[in-house]
Amino acid sequence: MASVSPSPSCSTIPTPVRRSSRTSFAVAELRRLKQRRAIPPVSVGLGHFADAVRNDVDFLKNKIGIGLRWANEAFRVPEVTKSAEELFWLRHLEDHASSNLESQSWPQPSYSGLSGVDLFMADVKALEAYAAYFYCLSKMWSRPLPEVYDSQAVADYFNCRPHVVAYRLLEVFSAFMVAAIRLRTSASDKSKSLEASEQNFGMVLKETMLHLGPTFIKVGQSLSTRPDIIGTEISKALSELHDRIPPFPWPEAVKIIEEELGGPVESFFSQFSQETVAAASFGQVYRGRTLDGSDVAVKVQRPDLRHAVLRDIYILRLGLGILRKVAKRENDIRVYADELGMGLAGELDFTLEAANALEFQEAHSRFSYIRVPKVYQHLTRKRVLTMEWMVGESPTDLLAISSGYSDHDNESHEKQNIEARRRLLDLVNKGVEATLVQLLDTGILHADPHPGNLRYTTSRQIGFLDFGLVCRMQRKHQLAMLASIVHIVNGDWAFLVESLTDMDVITPGVNTRRFTLDLEYALGEVKLINGIPDIEFTKVLSKIVKVALKYQLRMPPYFTLVLRSLACLEGLAAAGDPNFKTFEAAYPFVVQKLITENSAATRKILHSAVLNRKKEFRWERVALFLSKSSTRKQSPLVTLSRDETSVDSSSNPTDKDADNVSLVLRLLASKNGVVLRRLLMAANGTSLIRTFISREAHVIRKKLCMTIANTMYQWMVGSLGIESLKFISLSDPQLSSGINITVKDFKILISDKRVRVILRKILESAKSDRVLMLRFCWTSFVMSLTTTALACHRFVISVSEGYVNYLSLSAPVALRT
């Protein structure tokens, strides 16, 4: 096959290959190198050596130049240099379209009427002010922490030490991160039960709080009292924070004691144990004996405690400040940190705790079931507190014994469990009683009654320890708290809002109508059992706090301490008795307070509870008042009884209502019936008569007839001298309870002028309604006939039975002769 060579005219023109500038530059440099290497070698000489050195230098220069040019192109050095130059000269601020401005000279100050000397002295004073300012800043570093909590002084102290705050934040964050990792790894084990998981969570949380120090231990102690919120297993683990905290070494304790008391331990104590009896969050307790032979408990504060506590309070205050800005709240929520700081700072001064204990003891000395240890003032200082040694069992020990199990000697162990449970329930009941007394009577409230601070003594008293945190309530706050309990039970939300206003929870300017609606929505779903709310008191207060925070209201300081104290109490009561109801236990005390305390404030609360706006009785509430008051042993209604039979021994509601009639009749003429007599005087007499003759009052009228008939029967027996006849044995009255009205009581009731004034006022108020008075007279007449018939019937039956017994052969021979 012949090949045809292309002619020049039709030859294929090669397409040029596009190369980048970097590639073409590199190819050119390689060609230049090859040309230099192609130079033929010459004879060695001195001139040729200089040429070789020159060529090498040129080669290095070329190579360095190549590197620099490559770097300029790769990192865009010229563009960066140009941008830096424009920034340095501020060329980006130049505006070529701007108009020309007239040049301004430096302003010359003018001080009319001042000479050069005056200006010089002013400059000297300014320098003095600046020097004083910088001197004050330098002195800030040497200022110690305040003894009494002051938020500004604490902030100034830690603002000079930001490294301390940063280290603490890192420590807290790392501790909780480690705890989260431990919980996460343990949660991967699916074979663990829910109870085991809660127990593990509680142990991890307890160890974390132990690691973080006293402030977090205090938080853990508060949480441990609420098993209903955090769970039983977690509460059980955190309860070890009460008295099982690792102690600090004995030499440090001795050093603190000797520094505070001003001498060696042997000069103040004849015996002193080196072993810690109990270790708490702020200190630890040793047992000792004074020189006069008294057993004492010596509480020693942990070293460097003030700095650690106030540092955590400062961090909490910072966090609340940030939260306030993020949430855009108007009120300053940092005050909660300040309140906590004031409380904890007060606990750091043991002399204040000693003063609190003395005040608490003096206020509750008339209550025999409350025990407060004696304070030894001469052995007490700011970091050392010496008190009487109290022998008793803690609630934690009683709970462990009552719920324990043993395979050996089951019968004796069961008896031990029953006895421990009896003591625990008695402690709970006395704790409820003591808390109500503190809250509503004395106004001095132990604000930290966790199980570690309570003891059940051998004399069946409840002993209180650790008075570092005590709440003092004003009289108006006590009355408002008393009224709030009554209004919550009755569901009077408008009156409850008034009480919250008196408690300084609701401030002026709040829309009370909307607040009442929100409060009714939050508390309206509470169930009632026998007229009493089936809910814990702390949950009610928490709902109130939630509604108040919605309106950006600030809780008063005492309210937080009351909530904490009641939370500790309810946690202890729930552990001892799962069926414990706070309102059911507290309401009898409230009723007794209202019935016995004759003051304008308590009368106002009572009238708002049992009377409507027309001054008519709300009989369902009156019945609730009487039934709850009669269940309380210290109630004046119960103490009127001649025997010790329980008033509520009868399970029949009819008998209970009938017993209340006897109680009211006896109370009317007694010295404790002032409030009841005033209430009857204030009530609408017409409504009283209308209610008395109604069908619903049939049980009350029947019991009244039986009571009067029994009294008439006793009068007939005494008047006719039947009791003097030995051959007649009269039967005892068949009553439903042990509260009876004797002839003497009835005579006192009839002859009492105050009772006659009340009856006259009631009858006069109903005179205008003739039909009502006619019905009342007819009902009274029927009741008189019924009462007389019952008394005569009973008298005849009793005499007949006695005479028959005399004639029977079973009668003793001595009686016949």
Side-chain angles (χ1 to χ4, degrees):
M1 179 179 294
S3 62
V4 181
S5 61
S7 62
S9 60
C10 62
S11 61
T12 304
I13 300 174
T15 303
V17 180
R18 294 182 180 180
R19 297 178 179 176
S20 63
S21 58
R22 297 180 184 178
T23 307
S24 59
F25 178 75
V27 171
E29 290 297 327
L30 286 173
R31 287 177 180 175
R32 194 178 302 165
L33 265 170
K34 288 180 180 179
Q35 289 176 0
R36 288 184 177 180
R37 289 180 179 178
I39 299 175
V42 294
S43 57
V44 179
L46 198 56
H48 294 290
F49 177 76
D51 292 338
V53 171
R54 192 181 301 108
N55 289 335
D56 291 338
V57 171
D58 292 340
F59 176 77
L60 291 174
K61 287 182 179 179
N62 289 332
K63 287 297 182 180
I64 293 174
I66 292 171
L68 291 175
R69 285 192 292 273
W70 177 83
N72 288 337
E73 292 182 2
F75 297 104
R76 299 182 180 179
V77 175
E79 290 85 347
V80 173
T81 305
K82 184 177 180 182
S83 300
E85 185 179 357
E86 290 181 354
L87 181 64
F88 177 78
W89 289 100
L90 301 179
R91 290 172 182 168
H92 60 286
L93 298 179
E94 296 178 0
D95 185 8
H96 298 284
S98 62
S99 59
N100 294 328
L101 298 176
E102 295 181 2
S103 60
Q104 297 290 333
S105 60
W106 184 265
Q108 299 294 328
S110 175
Y111 302 97
S112 59
L114 294 179
S115 63
V117 176
D118 295 333
L119 293 177
F120 176 76
M121 294 304 298
D123 292 338
V124 171
K125 289 183 179 180
L127 290 175
E128 289 180 358
Y130 281 112
Y133 173 74
F134 286 110
Y135 178 78
C136 180
L137 288 181
S138 65
K139 285 296 183 181
M140 293 276 291
W141 292 88
S142 59
R143 183 181 301 174
L145 277 172
E147 293 293 331
V148 180
Y149 179 79
D150 183 1
S151 59
Q152 187 59 45
V154 173
D156 293 340
Y157 181 86
F158 286 105
N159 285 339
C160 297
R161 297 160 179 82
H163 58 286
V164 175
V165 179
Y167 180 77
R168 179 58 173 175
L169 288 173
L170 180 62
E171 186 179 15
V172 173
F173 178 76
S174 61
F176 279 104
M177 282 297 298
V178 171
I181 294 172
R182 289 179 59 186
L183 292 174
R184 183 64 179 174
T185 53
S186 62
S188 60
D189 188 2
K190 298 182 179 180
S191 61
K192 286 187 177 181
S193 62
L194 180 61
E195 182 178 353
S197 300
E198 289 184 356
Q199 186 177 6
N200 180 58
F201 181 84
M203 294 302 297
V204 172
L205 186 60
K206 182 201 75 173
E207 293 174 3
T208 303
M209 291 187 170
L210 280 175
H211 175 70
L212 291 176
T215 310
F216 286 87
I217 291 174
K218 280 285 184 183
V219 175
Q221 289 176 348
S222 300
L223 288 176
S224 68
T225 61
R226 299 312 307 267
D228 53 327
I229 297 177
I230 63 176
T232 306
E233 296 298 327
I234 300 177
S235 173
K236 190 175 180 181
L238 292 180
S239 63
E240 297 181 3
L241 294 174
H242 294 302
D243 50 9
R244 299 182 185 177
I245 302 174
F248 57 90
W250 160 250
E252 295 185 14
V254 173
K255 181 180 178 182
I256 293 174
I257 294 173
E258 293 179 348
E259 286 178 356
E260 293 294 321
L261 297 182
V265 177
E266 294 77 12
S267 60
F268 301 99
F269 303 96
S270 59
Q271 292 183 10
F272 204 95
S273 65
Q274 297 186 7
E275 303 224 351
T276 307
V277 177
S281 54
F282 282 9
Q284 57 193 36
V285 180
Y286 297 90
R287 184 169 185 175
R289 181 171 294 174
T290 60
L291 299 178
D292 58 359
S294 301
D295 289 335
V296 294
V298 182
K299 183 178 178 181
V300 185
Q301 191 177 112
R302 291 181 177 270
D304 301 326
L305 185 61
R306 180 176 298 275
H307 291 76
V309 171
L310 295 183
R311 174 197 58 194
D312 292 341
I313 297 299
Y314 173 75
I315 293 174
L316 176 62
R317 198 173 190 275
L318 286 180
L320 290 177
I322 296 173
L323 180 62
R324 178 194 178 192
K325 292 182 179 179
V326 172
K328 297 180 180 180
R329 294 185 62 89
E330 295 180 2
N331 58 336
D332 192 359
I333 59 176
R334 294 178 299 177
V335 294
Y336 295 112
D338 294 337
E339 291 169 8
L340 181 62
M342 285 187 287
L344 295 182
E347 291 189 64
L348 296 175
D349 190 350
F350 287 172
T351 58
L352 296 178
E353 182 176 346
N356 292 339
L358 292 173
E359 184 180 3
F360 190 89
Q361 183 180 24
E362 182 179 356
H364 299 91
S365 58
R366 66 181 187 273
F367 302 98
S368 58
Y369 58 89
I370 297 179
R371 174 79 183 281
V372 180
K374 176 185 175 182
V375 178
Y376 291 83
Q377 293 281 7
H378 64 287
L379 297 176
T380 297
R381 299 293 185 273
K382 284 190 175 182
R383 293 190 295 168
V384 176
L385 174 64
T386 306
M387 302 183 74
E388 174 191 1
W389 182 266
M390 182 181 292
V391 179
E393 299 172 291
S394 70
T396 306
D397 296 336
L398 290 175
L399 185 61
I401 296 173
S402 62
S403 60
Y405 178 78
S406 176
D407 294 332
H408 305 286
D409 199 3
N410 290 332
E411 184 176 353
S412 62
H413 185 73
E414 185 178 356
K415 290 181 180 180
Q416 186 180 5
N417 289 355
I418 294 174
E419 182 62 23
R421 182 167 182 79
R422 184 196 63 78
R423 296 198 300 272
L424 179 61
L425 293 179
D426 189 35
L427 173 65
V428 169
N429 292 329
K430 285 183 169 64
V432 172
E433 183 82 13
T435 301
L436 292 172
V437 165
Q438 298 167 37
L439 185 64
L440 303 177
D441 193 344
T442 61
I444 301 177
L445 183 67
H446 192 295
D448 195 18
H450 61 74
N453 290 338
L454 298 177
R455 292 292 184 271
Y456 186 74
T457 65
T458 54
S459 56
R460 301 180 62 183
Q461 294 175 304
I462 178 172
F464 287 90
L465 304 173
D466 192 356
F467 296 90
L469 198 59
V470 172
C471 173
R472 294 170 178 83
M473 296 183 63
Q474 300 179 16
R475 179 61 179 169
K476 68 170 186 175
H477 294 156
Q478 287 181 267
L479 293 172
M481 186 69 72
L482 180 69
S484 65
I485 296 175
V486 176
H487 299 324
I488 290 171
V489 172
N490 295 332
D492 294 331
W493 310 121
F495 285 113
L496 178 60
V497 170
E498 292 181 5
S499 299
L500 293 176
T501 304
D502 295 336
M503 293 165 64
D504 296 335
V505 174
I506 300 178
T507 55
V510 177
N511 190 335
T512 55
R513 289 188 177 182
R514 291 183 57 187
F515 193 95
T516 304
L517 292 176
D518 291 340
L519 197 61
E520 183 177 0
Y521 177 77
L523 299 175
E525 298 180 355
V526 177
K527 296 181 181 179
L528 299 178
I529 298 179
N530 296 327
I532 301 297
D534 186 25
I535 189 174
E536 295 177 352
F537 195 56
T538 48
K539 289 186 178 180
V540 173
L541 294 182
S542 299
K543 289 179 180 290
I544 294 174
V545 170
K546 186 176 180 180
V547 176
L549 292 179
K550 178 181 177 181
Y551 288 83
Q552 297 189 1
L553 300 176
R554 185 180 72 86
M555 295 296 103
Y558 80 92
F559 196 87
T560 307
L561 295 178
V562 168
L563 188 60
R564 171 178 176 154
S565 177
L566 292 176
C568 293
L569 170 71
E570 288 189 338
L572 172 62
D577 183 9
N579 299 321
F580 176 82
K581 305 297 180 186
T582 309
F583 278 101
E584 187 175 356
Y587 204 60
F589 182 90
V590 172
V591 172
Q592 179 196 348
K593 188 80 173 172
L594 294 177
I595 291 178
T596 57
E597 186 171 322
N598 184 25
S599 65
T602 53
R603 287 199 303 269
K604 179 181 177 182
I605 298 171
L606 182 62
H607 291 184
S608 66
V610 299
L611 297 177
N612 59 18
R613 299 186 179 220
K614 296 181 181 180
K615 300 297 182 181
E616 297 175 349
F617 274 105
R618 302 175 182 179
W619 291 103
E620 69 282 357
R621 297 186 181 180
V622 174
L624 179 63
F625 261 58
L626 293 175
S627 62
K628 293 303 176 185
S629 179
S630 61
T631 59
R632 181 176 166 80
K633 293 181 180 180
Q634 292 82 4
S635 172
L637 300 181
V638 178
T639 54
L640 289 173
S641 177
R642 295 299 180 98
D643 52 32
E644 297 181 357
T645 306
S646 177
V647 176
D648 56 344
S649 59
S650 175
S651 60
N652 190 350
T654 303
D655 291 340
K656 289 185 178 181
D657 294 337
D659 293 336
N660 291 332
V661 175
S662 300
L663 292 171
V664 171
L665 290 177
R666 296 196 63 179
L667 186 62
L668 269 176
S670 68
K671 63 179 181 180
N672 294 321
V674 179
V675 177
L676 180 59
R677 291 191 292 269
R678 285 178 175 269
L679 182 63
L680 290 174
M681 289 292 292
N684 189 337
T686 304
S687 67
L688 279 173
I689 295 178
R690 185 178 293 110
T691 304
F692 180 74
I693 64 176
S694 64
R695 292 184 178 181
E696 290 77 9
H698 171 70
V699 176
I700 297 177
R701 293 197 301 270
K702 180 180 177 182
K703 177 56 185 177
L704 184 60
C705 290
M706 293 176 62
T707 304
I708 298 175
N710 177 49
T711 308
M712 188 179 296
Y713 163 77
Q714 296 177 14
W715 173 77
M716 292 170 66
V717 170
S719 299
L720 298 176
I722 303 298
E723 290 182 345
S724 61
L725 301 177
K726 295 182 179 181
F727 61 87
I728 294 181
S729 177
L730 299 177
S731 60
D732 294 329
Q734 301 296 324
L735 295 176
S736 60
S737 70
I739 302 180
N740 307 323
I741 294 184
T742 62
V743 177
K744 181 180 177 182
D745 296 331
F746 197 75
K747 287 181 179 180
I748 294 174
L749 182 64
I750 294 175
S751 61
D752 194 292
K753 294 181 179 180
R754 298 166 297 186
V755 177
R756 284 186 286 180
V757 170
I758 294 172
L759 292 176
R760 190 181 301 114
K761 183 260 179 186
I762 293 174
L763 293 175
E764 287 179 356
S765 64
K767 277 184 178 180
S768 58
D769 194 341
R770 296 184 178 181
V771 176
L772 180 63
M773 287 300 297
L774 184 60
R775 292 178 59 193
F776 174 72
C777 292
W778 173 253
T779 303
S780 301
F781 175 71
V782 173
M783 288 180 62
S784 301
L785 292 179
T786 305
T787 301
T788 306
L790 286 173
C792 294
H793 176 266
R794 184 171 178 192
F795 178 78
V796 172
I797 294 297
S798 298
V799 173
S800 301
E801 287 180 353
Y803 189 71
V804 169
N805 290 335
Y806 169 71
L807 295 178
S808 63
L809 297 176
S810 60
V813 178
L815 291 178
R816 298 182 188 179
T817 60

